[in-house]
Amino acid sequence: MADVQLSNITKVYPGPVQAVDNVSLDIHDREFVVLVGPSGCGKSTVLRMIAGLEDITSGTISIGARVVNDVAPKDRDIAMVFQNYALYPHMTVHKNMAFGLLLRRKHFVWDNPLGFLLAHGRWKQARAERRDIDTRVRATAETLGIGELLQRHPRALSGGQRQRVAVGRAIVRNPKAFLFDEPLSNLDAKLRIGMRAELKRLHRQVQTTTVYVTHDQEEAMTLGDRVVVLKDGVIHQCGTPYEVYEQPINRFVAGFVGTPPMNFLDGRLVRDGGNLYFTDGHQRLPLAARHQASLAAHVDQPVVLGIRPDVWRPAQAPPGSAVLNAEVQVVEPLGDRTDIHCRTASHPHMVCRVDARTRVTEGQTVPMAVEMERVHFFAPGENGATLSLAR
Ligand code: ADP
């Protein structure tokens, strides 16, 4: 087990394509860190640089306090699990899992009687080492629920079983760190959720430092001790799942984390009778007490209001409270909850997530009560910085 440290890592591919731009990150011993971001944001490149599969243009990578920039992948003592599993098709599950360990054996003697005659001592050591590898493979396979499949070949396994073998092959080596590159992407939705929980349980058990790459923000939130949100090769925010969800540093993070995504309304802040209001030009909302002071400097300036789908709902509210009138366009029942797609005078598409018992009719215009304590404000622009966090 070990820390993994990235210091000012940059990667420029020929082209030139700036895939990773001055990324610094300290991944602590035993921590599970998830790199998440849209396709092409550079997350796989970061992972591949940690693995040594990609040269670093500039910066330093250390694993367990050792700078590994010039260390070959096989000597970094890390194990990587790929999206396509990368199993050897001609080997059994047992052999696939044991292969890495067999290659690293200290005492290598062909298992035949001649070997016994030639080098009895070494032969015995080699046998002991093989037995040890076999024990480790079987124990790991049991942990992963694939103990019955050890003699099968990959072609005779389901996608989920193949993924378990790939994970088992990584675990059995007991490396300093695990690197996962979108390992669940090829599984169907139900299996993905099951494997997600299993990976989390396994990490609790083996406690190996883990760097995990995914484009799926829900996977990132459920798995990571910390989540690193990347865009265009740059880290936008690094924090606990709670922090990136509740305290997004900018509009990009706010919109990327959370399903359905946050609704954004362009507008301005205005002052009236000593109080601040947000207006989209048609309707106005009074700011909560906690925002009144922190946003005072932005009066008469354009701002973006961020409302998560569960932060507003159809409700009768007293005059003067925060209400947006919205026209219901589509009602989507999801079983335990319902998504209401609607539009306001200034915004053509917003989503509201409500309790399944809420009754609204498509085409109806309803007052929506907004919990102003829980909304966010951002500077204009797709990466506009938060204006609502105390700094
Ligand atoms: P992600 O994993 O977030 O989808 P990648 O790390 O694979 O993103 O890629 C980041 C950027 O680098 C993308 O613009 C991609 O097209 C580019 N890229 C990746 N690999 C290469 C390569 N071998 N040569 C040139 N450009 C590359």
Side-chain angles (χ1 to χ4, degrees):
M1 282 172 278
D3 293 7
V4 176
Q5 281 189 327
L6 315 182
S7 307
N8 308 103
I9 292 298
T10 291
K11 175 70 184 181
V12 182
Y13 287 110
V17 178
Q18 173 111 26
V20 177
D21 186 4
N22 201 24
V23 161
S24 293
L25 183 64
D26 281 358
I27 300 157
H28 309 136
D29 187 22
R30 298 163 195 245
E31 197 178 21
F32 197 128
V33 164
V34 182
L35 309 181
V36 66
S39 180
C41 71
K43 51 195 186 298
S44 296
T45 301
V46 171
L47 200 73
R48 291 170 62 80
M49 287 194 288
I50 299 173
L53 302 175
E54 211 67 74
D55 289 337
I56 306 164
T57 306
S58 65
T60 310
I61 296 183
S62 312
I63 300 175
R66 174 170 76 136
V67 174
V68 294
N69 286 31
D70 299 319
V71 176
K74 67 179 177 49
D75 298 324
R76 293 190 182 196
D77 199 7
I78 40 117
M80 189 150 171
V81 178
F82 297 92
Q83 179 178 348
N84 61 6
Y85 321 132
L87 300 177
Y88 299 110
H90 58 288
M91 292 184 189
T92 61
V93 167
H94 187 289
K95 197 80 186 279
N96 262 288
M97 288 175 67
F99 192 61
L101 294 175
L102 290 170
L103 284 183
R104 289 193 308 177
R105 275 181 297 175
K106 286 200 195 76
H107 306 283
F108 187 85
V109 175
W110 291 108
D111 278 332
N112 61 36
L114 197 60
F116 174 74
L117 289 174
L118 289 176
H120 182 62
R122 274 176 60 208
W123 185 80
K124 270 175 71 176
Q125 285 168 320
R127 293 286 291 193
E129 224 169 3
R130 270 191 96 97
R131 265 200 303 272
D132 178 49
I133 290 171
D134 181 59
T135 307
R136 278 165 70 178
V137 167
R138 286 176 192 282
T140 306
E142 284 307 322
T143 308
L144 286 161
I146 51 171
E148 305 292 306
L149 308 176
L150 284 171
Q151 295 316 316
R152 288 210 202 160
H153 283 81
R155 65 177 173 276
L157 301 176
S158 70
Q161 289 167 337
R162 282 180 210 170
Q163 189 50 268
R164 278 164 212 258
V165 177
V167 171
R169 183 172 59 180
I171 291 178
V172 82
R173 288 178 45 193
N174 192 22
K176 285 208 176 92
F178 291 135
L179 307 180
F180 287 95
D181 192 0
E182 306 245 10
L184 307 184
S185 298
N186 288 355
L187 305 180
D188 65 56
K190 200 169 164 203
L191 205 52
R192 213 160 49 221
I193 292 172
M195 273 304 277
R196 204 164 76 186
E198 203 159 313
L199 284 178
K200 199 161 177 164
R201 178 183 64 76
L202 271 174
H203 180 256
R204 299 274 179 277
Q205 193 180 326
V206 299
Q207 301 206 344
T208 305
T209 312
T210 300
V211 190
Y212 187 106
V213 159
T214 179
H215 64 274
D216 179 343
Q217 56 86 27
E218 196 175 299
E219 202 168 292
M221 299 288 277
T222 50
L223 280 172
D225 296 323
R226 276 192 302 159
V227 175
V228 180
V229 186
L230 283 155
K231 184 188 173 205
D232 299 334
V234 174
I235 294 182
H236 279 242
Q237 188 165 1
C238 171
T240 62
Y242 176 85
E243 284 165 348
V244 295
Y245 185 81
E246 289 292 340
Q247 298 155 9
I249 204 83
N250 63 26
R251 177 177 170 167
F252 167 69
V253 175
F256 187 77
V257 175
T259 348
M262 189 182 274
N263 301 292
F264 296 108
L265 278 96
D266 292 318
R268 311 179 71 75
L269 289 182
V270 292
R271 192 185 290 281
D272 184 1
N275 286 320
L276 289 186
Y277 295 82
F278 170 85
T279 173
D280 63 356
H282 301 272
Q283 313 188 58
R284 72 178 200 178
L285 298 165
L287 266 57
R290 80 178 182 96
H291 289 136
Q292 293 277 347
S294 59
L295 286 158
H298 299 275
V299 172
D300 293 330
Q301 289 176 15
V303 296
V304 176
L305 170 65
I307 307 177
R308 289 215 186 269
D310 63 336
V311 161
W312 64 322
R313 62 188 62 81
Q316 292 302 330
S321 56
V323 172
L324 272 180
N325 290 313
E327 182 193 329
V328 177
Q329 294 186 295
V330 176
V331 177
E332 274 183 353
L334 298 164
D336 60 334
R337 59 200 190 276
T338 297
D339 283 352
I340 304 172
H341 296 256
C342 50
R343 69 171 170 216
T344 65
S346 70
H347 203 287
H349 181 231
M350 295 177 71
V351 180
C352 167
R353 177 161 281 189
V354 292
D355 187 282
R357 287 164 295 187
T358 308
R359 292 281 164 262
V360 287
T361 314
E362 291 174 4
Q364 182 189 8
T365 296
V366 289
M368 306 275 244
V370 184
E371 281 182 68
M372 292 303 284
E373 275 290 326
R374 294 179 58 202
V375 301
H376 298 259
F377 291 94
F378 302 98
E382 62 180 38
N383 297 333
T386 180
L387 304 175
S388 39
L389 284 184
R391 292 186 176 249

